[in-house]
């Protein structure tokens, strides 16, 4: 039945899913080896590595708002998505040609500009062609295919490094190919469907933002509160190392996470179309709280591996559902803006969340870092329940 349900999803959803898969193979091949390339080949210090990543991710978060708003104003999302994916692929050779950290910074900066340009229009494209009754399945499918790419990218990079005697530049050159195929699929396989009136209005003006609705803005508040406790995955890796997992095996944690993430996102999306999204989102936040609590109590490597698998399940229960909830709440012509704003909030929250997590770890202990995240997750759940307790359509 699930297979038949998946086949019934619009053509655009499938193509966008495979575009995401190939683009994630491209980006994860690069990201999984870039820190090692910077440190071992270019002699970069860890502070510089952190600076490059911080600048890159902040850029992407800010641009998602403007690209989403522009897609609403222009009424043409596909061109922005093509521009974003195209820029990221176009700059991939810069990583292979880099001879200094400055070159890597430029390449990473331009790559994240590409991500910032494409994400909100792409998410809106999914909603534009999908009936309300299938949105959970549509976002779940796209998320699952995206995660398969995130799973395959590091594995391909690892295999190339093994076969080429640690040739990082070869990995970067090979990453160009999936990027090119992704652009071709987007250009020839995805068709624009959004219709807008000739009288165009600025989607970022106050009247437009107000029309997004109270329920949408409450979701934004909940996402901000939750993500202030959802620090960088680097702290998960540090905890794994602290428990005693060999450094050479720690990258496999992302494989474990993405495996359970990819396997769960689509079935949970389908389930949300049948029983409602809010309860499943709350269950996902609750699972996150228990995983973070588990990280304070774990004493053996097998417990950490199990927690990594549950962390991937938490992602599968929340990422696609939050997008579907946003799509359900806002007017068709403001979807890009709505996705951009919530992406901005969650992206910007990463910096203070990670800084505070590091301070807590250093000054108090690792337990404080994960307990803080668990408490904020519970707080987000309470706000969500209290806000929507009378709105039965979410339940």
């Amino acid at each position: 039945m699930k297979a038949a349900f998946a086949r019934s999803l619009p053509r655009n959803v499938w193509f966008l899913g495979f575009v995401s898969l190939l683009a994630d193979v491209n980006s994860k091949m690069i990201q999984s080896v870039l820190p090692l390339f910077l440190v071992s080949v270019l002699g970069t210090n860890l502070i510089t590595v952190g600076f490059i990543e911080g600048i890159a991710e902040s850029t992407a978060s800010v641009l998602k708002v403007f690209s989403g708003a522009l897609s609403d104003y222009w009424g043409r999302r596909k061109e922005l998505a093509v521009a974003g994916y195209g820029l990221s692929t176009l700059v991939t050779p810069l990583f292979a040609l880099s001879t200094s950290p400055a070159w890597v910074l430029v390449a990473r900066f331009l790559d994240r500009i590409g991500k910032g340009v494409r994400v909100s229009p792409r998410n809106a494209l999914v909603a534009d062609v999908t009936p309300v009754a299938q949105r959970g399945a549509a976002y779940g499918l796209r998320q699952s295919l995206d995660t398969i790419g995130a799973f395959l990218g590091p594995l391909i990079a690892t295999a190339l490094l093994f076969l080429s005697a640690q040739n990082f530049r070869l990995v970067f050159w090979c990453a160009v190919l999936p990027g090119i195929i992704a652009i071709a699929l987007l250009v020839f396989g995805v068709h624009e469907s959004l219709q807008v009136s000739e009288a165009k209005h600025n989607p970022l003006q106050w009247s437009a933002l107000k029309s997004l609705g109270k329920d949408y803005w409450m979701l934004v508040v909940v996402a901000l509160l939750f993500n202030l406790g959802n620090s960088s995955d680097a702290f998960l890796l540090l905890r794994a190392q602290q428990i005693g997992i060999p450094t050479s095996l720690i990258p496999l944690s992302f494989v474990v996470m993405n495996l359970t993430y990819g396997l769960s996102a689509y079935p949970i999306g389908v389930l949300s179309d049948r029983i409602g999204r809010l309860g499943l989102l709350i269950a996902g936040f609750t699972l996150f709280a228990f995983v973070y609590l588990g990280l304070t109590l774990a004493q053996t490597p097998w417990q950490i591996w199990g927690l990594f698998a549950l962390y991937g399940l938490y992602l599968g229960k929340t990422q696609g559902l939050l997008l579907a909830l946003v799509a359900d709440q806002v007017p068709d012509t403001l979807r890009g803006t709505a996705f951009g704003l919530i992406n901005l909030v969650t992206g910007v929250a990463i910096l203070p969340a990670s800084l505070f997590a590091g301070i807590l770890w250093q000054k108090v202990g690792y337990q404080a870092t994960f307990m803080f995240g668990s408490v904020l997750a519970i707080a987000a759940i309470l706000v969500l329940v209290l806000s929507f307790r009378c709105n039965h359509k979410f339940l």
Side-chain angles (χ1 to χ4, degrees):
M1 184 176 293
K2 287 181 180 178
F5 195 75
R7 286 195 297 271
S8 72
L9 289 172
R11 166 193 170 100
N12 272 10
V13 174
W14 281 99
F15 272 96
L16 287 168
F18 282 108
V19 167
S20 293
L21 187 157
L22 290 163
D24 247 41
V25 171
N26 166 277
S27 64
K28 297 305 180 185
M29 284 178 68
I30 295 169
Q31 291 176 30
S32 64
V33 301
L34 188 59
L36 298 175
F37 174 72
L38 281 165
V39 173
S40 62
V41 177
L42 300 184
T44 310
N45 60 53
L46 293 179
I47 294 176
T48 302
V49 172
F51 174 76
I52 290 173
E53 288 301 304
I55 290 292
E57 294 303 328
S58 297
T59 300
S61 296
V62 172
L63 282 175
K64 288 173 186 176
V65 176
F66 297 103
S67 65
L70 181 58
S71 78
D72 289 334
Y73 178 80
W74 195 15
R76 298 169 68 181
R77 310 196 198 280
K78 177 179 172 179
E79 285 85 347
L80 287 169
V82 170
Y85 282 111
L87 179 59
S88 293
T89 300
L90 187 64
V91 302
T92 299
L94 289 180
F95 292 103
L97 298 171
S98 294
T99 57
S100 71
W103 277 99
V104 174
L105 174 60
V106 171
R108 193 82 173 99
F109 180 72
L110 292 174
D111 170 63
R112 293 298 87 178
I113 287 179
K115 180 176 182 179
V117 167
R118 71 182 182 246
V119 167
S120 296
R122 180 204 65 200
N123 288 339
L125 270 170
V126 173
D128 289 343
V129 300
T130 308
V132 174
Q134 288 184 303
R135 278 185 188 152
Y139 283 109
L141 178 67
R142 196 211 63 78
Q143 209 76 45
S144 287
L145 292 172
D146 181 276
T147 307
I148 291 172
F151 175 86
L152 292 175
L155 289 182
I156 294 171
T158 301
L160 287 171
L161 287 178
F162 178 77
L163 295 172
S164 65
Q166 308 294 312
N167 188 339
F168 293 98
R169 298 184 191 276
L170 176 64
V171 174
F172 299 144
W173 282 118
C174 290
V176 175
L177 181 59
I180 292 174
I181 299 174
I183 296 170
L185 283 180
L186 181 58
V187 170
F188 298 108
V190 175
H191 301 291
E192 189 75 65
S193 64
L194 180 65
Q195 301 294 325
V196 295
S197 65
E198 292 299 323
K200 296 183 178 181
H201 302 284
N202 179 7
L204 292 178
Q205 66 186 6
W206 173 246
S207 59
L209 296 179
K210 188 176 180 181
S211 70
L212 289 172
K214 179 182 176 181
D215 291 333
Y216 167 75
W217 287 110
M218 190 52 62
L219 283 174
V220 172
V221 171
V222 168
L224 174 61
L225 181 60
F226 176 80
N227 280 281
L228 284 172
N230 186 11
S231 55
S232 168
D233 290 346
F235 294 100
L236 304 181
L237 305 186
L238 289 172
R239 181 65 178 133
Q241 187 179 50
Q242 189 181 55
I243 286 291
I245 294 177
T247 301
S248 59
L249 295 181
I250 286 177
L252 292 179
S253 63
F254 287 111
V255 175
V256 173
M257 288 180 198
N258 284 313
L259 181 61
T260 54
Y261 182 8
L263 290 175
S264 63
Y266 173 68
I268 288 171
V270 173
L271 186 61
S272 79
D273 290 330
R274 296 175 179 174
I275 69 171
R277 313 197 203 287
L278 186 61
L280 290 170
L281 183 65
I282 290 171
F285 284 173
T286 303
L287 180 58
F288 174 92
F290 277 112
V291 169
Y292 261 43
L293 178 62
L295 288 166
T296 69
L297 303 174
Q299 298 296 324
T300 61
W302 73 264
Q303 292 172 332
I304 292 293
W305 289 117
L307 290 169
F308 282 155
L310 290 175
Y311 190 83
L313 181 58
Y314 134 73
L315 291 171
K317 289 173 70 68
T318 57
Q319 304 305 294
L321 290 186
L322 186 59
L323 294 176
L325 273 171
V326 170
D328 291 343
Q329 302 315 303
V330 301
D332 296 358
T333 54
L334 288 175
R335 282 184 185 135
T337 305
F339 284 125
L341 286 168
I342 202 163
N343 281 325
L344 172 66
V345 166
T346 55
V348 169
I350 292 174
L351 180 57
S354 297
L355 286 175
F356 195 56
I359 293 170
L360 285 175
W361 190 306
Q362 185 170 328
K363 300 296 184 181
V364 183
Y366 69 87
Q367 297 96 332
T369 294
F370 296 115
M371 284 300 297
F372 178 72
S374 185
V375 168
L376 279 191
I378 294 171
I381 292 169
L382 292 176
V383 172
L384 196 57
V385 171
L386 291 174
S387 300
F388 295 114
R389 68 186 185 279
C390 296
N391 196 342
H392 298 291
K393 71 178 181 179
F394 292 104
L395 298 176

